[in-house]
Amino acid sequence: MAAQKIRRTIDDLLLLSAVEEEEDSDVETLLLDLVAKEPRPFQRSFRIDLEILDDQECINLFRFSKDDVHLLYDLLRVPEYYRCPNGTVVGGLESLLLLLRRLTYPNRLSDLCSLFGRPEPELSMIVHKVLDDIYNRYHHLLENLDVDWINAQTFADAIHAAGAPLPNCWGFIDGTLRPCCRPIRNQRILFSGHKRVHGIKFQSVVCPNGLIAHLYGPIAGRHHDAFLLYESNLLPALRRKFPPPNIFTLYGDPAYPIRQHILGPYRGAGLTPLQEQFNGNMSKLRESVEWGFGKIVQYFAFLDFSKNLKILLQPIGKYYVIGALFTNCHTCLYGSTTTSLFGVPPPGIEEYLSN
C-alpha cells in the first residue's frame, strides 16, 4: 500500500510538472523529500511565554485573559514546580497552561510539542501531574452544598420572577452522557441503549447564577438518571441542608422520582390546562441546566472529542470534573447565559475557590 501511494504521488507530481511546465529541479526536490525522508529526532523549537501573548491570543489558547491566568494560578495555589516520575521538572504556570490548552481544543499531544517545546511523553506526564493535583485539592467544590455562595432564597426568588410557578425552586438537576471510544472489553457496561453510544454519565445541579453547585460522576453509561440520584447521596444532603419547614426544591425531568426536595413535571395523558401550563413554564427554565453542560464542552472542547477519550488509557472522568471546575471559574470571571437569564451574579472567583 505504501509503495502504491508513493507511486500515485510520483505520477501526480510528474503530471503537474507537465501541465504547468515546472522546472525539473523542483519536482526532483519534492520526490526526494517524499521518498527519502527519514524520521527526525525531536527538537525543542519553542517554549510558551505568556508575556508575549496579548489578551485575545491568551483567551483563544487558554479561555482566560493573561491577568486572569495569573489570578487562577495564584488562587489555585499551583506549586512553583512539579516533578514528574521520570525526573522532569516543570514550572507550575507552564503546567497550568498545558492543562488548559489540552482541554480547550481537541489537541493531540503531538500538536502541542511545538507550542510547549517538549516531547509527547513529557507532555503526557505533566498533564496528568497537574490534573491529579488540582483534582485532589479542589474536587470538593463540586460535591459540597454547604458553601456560602449558595443562597437558596435568593435563587428561588430569581427563578420565580423569571416565570416559574414554584416559589421555592432554587436550582435544576439533570444527568448527561459524555460519549467516549468503545472500549476493547466490558463494552456493555458503558453502552447507553437510549443514546446508542458508549460513554460515562454525570449528574449536576445548576444554580441561577450559572454555577454548577453539585457534580456527581462518572458512572457507567448504561445506568439511568435515577440510579445516579441514588448513588450520589444528594437527597440526604438536601434534607440536611433544607430541613422542614424551610424546604427548597430542585426541579428535574420525568426521569427523577418526586420527592420532598426534588420535583418534576406532571405526568400522564389527561393533564389539565393548568398542569400543562406548569410543565411548559418549568420546562423553559429547566433548559438552563443544559446550558451548563453546553458551556463545559463549548469552552473545553477536548471533553467533547469522543474519538480521543479512551477510558482504559486516560482519566476521562477527571478531565470532565476539572473541565466543570474551570467552567465555574470562567463563569465567576465572565458570567454566562444562565446568569443573564435570571439576573443573579455569580460569586467572585476568590470567594468560590476559598470554600
Side-chain angles (χ1 to χ4, degrees):
M1 294 295 292
Q4 293 177 358
K5 183 177 180 181
I6 292 175
R7 182 69 258 172
R8 288 197 301 269
T9 306
I10 292 174
D11 293 340
D12 291 342
L13 289 172
L14 292 175
L15 178 62
L16 181 63
S17 176
V19 173
E20 298 185 1
E21 297 182 355
E22 294 287 338
E23 295 182 1
D24 292 341
S25 59
D26 295 336
V27 177
E28 291 174 358
T29 300
L30 291 172
L31 293 176
L32 289 173
D33 183 65
L34 174 68
V35 178
K37 188 174 182 180
E38 296 180 355
R40 298 177 180 177
F42 173 80
Q43 297 179 351
R44 296 184 183 274
S45 56
F46 181 71
R47 187 67 63 84
I48 187 70
D49 184 0
L50 193 61
E51 302 309 318
I52 69 175
L53 303 176
D54 60 35
D55 271 347
Q56 190 56 53
E57 290 174 330
C58 195
I59 291 173
N60 291 340
L61 287 172
F62 310 114
R63 298 309 188 204
F64 295 91
S65 68
K66 188 186 304 185
D67 290 340
D68 291 333
V69 168
H70 286 293
L71 179 62
L72 197 63
Y73 171 77
D74 293 333
L75 294 177
L76 289 174
R77 302 195 304 276
V78 176
E80 185 178 354
Y81 65 89
Y82 289 100
R83 185 179 298 276
C84 298
N86 70 335
T88 297
V89 177
V90 58
L93 181 58
E94 181 185 351
S95 302
L96 178 61
L97 292 176
L98 175 57
L99 178 60
L100 287 171
R101 183 56 189 167
R102 175 68 160 159
L103 296 178
T104 296
Y105 194 75
N107 302 285
R108 299 170 300 177
L109 289 174
S110 59
D111 299 329
L112 302 178
C113 290
S114 59
L115 182 62
F116 289 90
R118 295 181 181 274
E120 292 180 56
E122 279 189 12
L123 293 178
S124 178
M125 286 185 285
I126 295 168
V127 167
H128 291 153
K129 192 73 175 180
V130 65
L131 178 76
D132 290 341
D133 177 50
I134 295 178
Y135 177 87
N136 292 335
R137 292 190 291 118
Y138 289 100
H139 74 276
H140 69 276
L141 296 178
L142 297 168
E143 298 175 357
N144 184 19
L145 295 177
D146 295 323
V147 291
D148 297 334
W149 62 266
I150 295 182
N151 189 324
Q153 187 61 61
T154 300
F155 293 170
D157 292 343
I159 293 174
H160 186 58
L166 292 173
N168 63 337
C169 175
W170 69 277
F172 302 93
I173 183 173
D174 198 9
T176 184
L177 177 74
R178 299 311 317 153
C180 66
C181 282
R182 183 179 63 184
I184 60 176
R185 54 180 179 271
N186 299 325
Q187 298 176 5
R188 291 180 179 271
I189 296 176
L190 297 183
F191 185 73
S192 170
H194 177 62
K195 299 290 186 178
R196 309 298 296 176
V197 294
H198 294 83
I200 55 178
K201 298 193 75 171
F202 291 87
Q203 172 188 277
S204 71
V205 173
V206 176
C207 299
N209 63 0
L211 293 189
I212 298 174
H214 190 274
L215 181 72
Y216 177 75
I219 287 291
R222 68 187 180 93
H223 290 298
H224 192 267
D225 286 353
F227 179 82
L228 268 74
L229 177 63
Y230 173 79
E231 289 292 315
S232 67
N233 290 318
L234 180 60
L235 282 174
L238 292 173
R239 286 194 290 266
R240 290 191 299 269
K241 185 172 180 63
F242 304 117
N246 299 318
I247 295 177
F248 290 92
T249 68
L250 297 172
Y251 187 84
D253 60 25
Y256 291 95
I258 303 299
R259 295 293 184 268
Q260 193 175 39
H261 292 86
I262 295 183
L263 298 177
Y266 288 100
R267 305 165 195 183
L271 300 182
T272 67
L274 286 178
Q275 290 173 335
E276 291 179 350
Q277 183 180 2
F278 174 92
N279 288 354
N281 291 340
M282 293 303 299
S283 177
K284 291 178 182 178
L285 299 177
R286 198 190 66 82
E287 291 179 359
S288 61
V289 72
E290 301 290 347
W291 299 343
F293 291 138
K295 184 175 181 179
I296 294 175
V297 297
Q298 175 188 358
Y299 283 87
F300 301 102
F302 178 79
L303 303 173
D304 198 34
F305 188 45
S306 60
K307 292 183 179 180
N308 200 25
L309 297 176
K310 303 167 184 175
I311 196 166
L312 298 178
L313 297 177
Q314 299 168 315
I316 63 176
K318 284 185 180 179
Y319 281 153
Y320 191 83
V321 172
I322 296 303
L325 177 67
F326 284 151
T327 301
N328 275 357
C329 293
H330 191 279
T331 299
C332 290
L333 291 168
Y334 308 109
S336 68
T337 305
T338 304
T339 304
S340 302
L341 173 65
F342 294 105
V344 181
I349 189 171
E350 297 89 348
E351 179 184 358
Y352 175 70
L353 292 176
S354 64
N355 286 279

